[in-house]
Amino acid sequence: MKNFVVKTIANAAALAVAVWLIDKITLTGGGTGEKTATLILVALVFGLVNLLVKPIVQVLTFPLFILTLGLFTLVVNALMLLLTSWLADVLDLSFHVEGFWTAVLGGLIVSIVSWALNLVLPDKD
């Protein structure tokens, strides 16, 4: 359970960095508390998307991973971020990613920040 909370907080922080750095990834809402709650909820959605959908997409696109020497991971991460944005819209969360190339850059930022945070944060249950 502790591992799940740590990963969710790392995802929320990574999404916050992407929102902060990229103008076309938006998080609207009231005060800081509301934005924080929205980020945590979006991080939960993002975690579920990465847990349930991403492995299926990776298996189906495995030949593209081989052909591009792993660079297709950027496209898959962008698609997962776009799916999270769509699900956030369905769930009436104020998180939006505008366009594919924005999602590619956002996915890259989220991946790098999540990786760095997971190195620092504890991961034992």
Side-chain angles (χ1 to χ4, degrees):
M1 183 67 179
K2 187 176 176 183
N3 189 23
F4 174 75
V5 172
V6 168
K7 297 253 187 231
T8 301
I9 291 171
N11 275 340
L15 289 167
V17 170
V19 167
W20 179 58
L21 288 176
I22 303 173
D23 292 335
K24 292 184 179 182
I25 298 178
T26 57
L27 178 68
T28 56
T32 305
E34 186 178 330
K35 286 183 179 179
T36 303
T38 302
L39 265 176
I40 291 172
L41 290 173
V42 170
L44 286 170
V45 170
F46 187 64
L48 285 174
V49 164
N50 281 330
L51 179 72
L52 300 174
V53 178
K54 190 174 182 178
I56 296 168
V57 172
Q58 285 178 329
V59 167
L60 293 175
T61 59
F62 185 70
L64 291 173
F65 280 100
I66 299 295
L67 279 174
T68 63
L69 302 175
L71 287 177
F72 196 72
T73 304
L74 293 173
V75 174
V76 171
N77 288 342
L79 293 174
M80 296 305 110
L81 196 58
L82 285 172
L83 180 59
T84 301
S85 175
W86 178 78
L87 287 171
D89 188 43
V90 168
L91 297 171
D92 200 29
L93 298 171
S94 59
F95 177 79
H96 182 69
V97 178
E98 185 180 323
F100 176 75
W101 292 109
T102 302
V104 170
L105 184 57
L108 181 62
I109 290 170
V110 167
S111 295
I112 291 170
V113 173
S114 292
W115 170 77
L117 287 175
N118 284 320
L119 282 178
V120 175
L121 295 172
D123 62 348
K124 295 180 182 173
D125 276 332

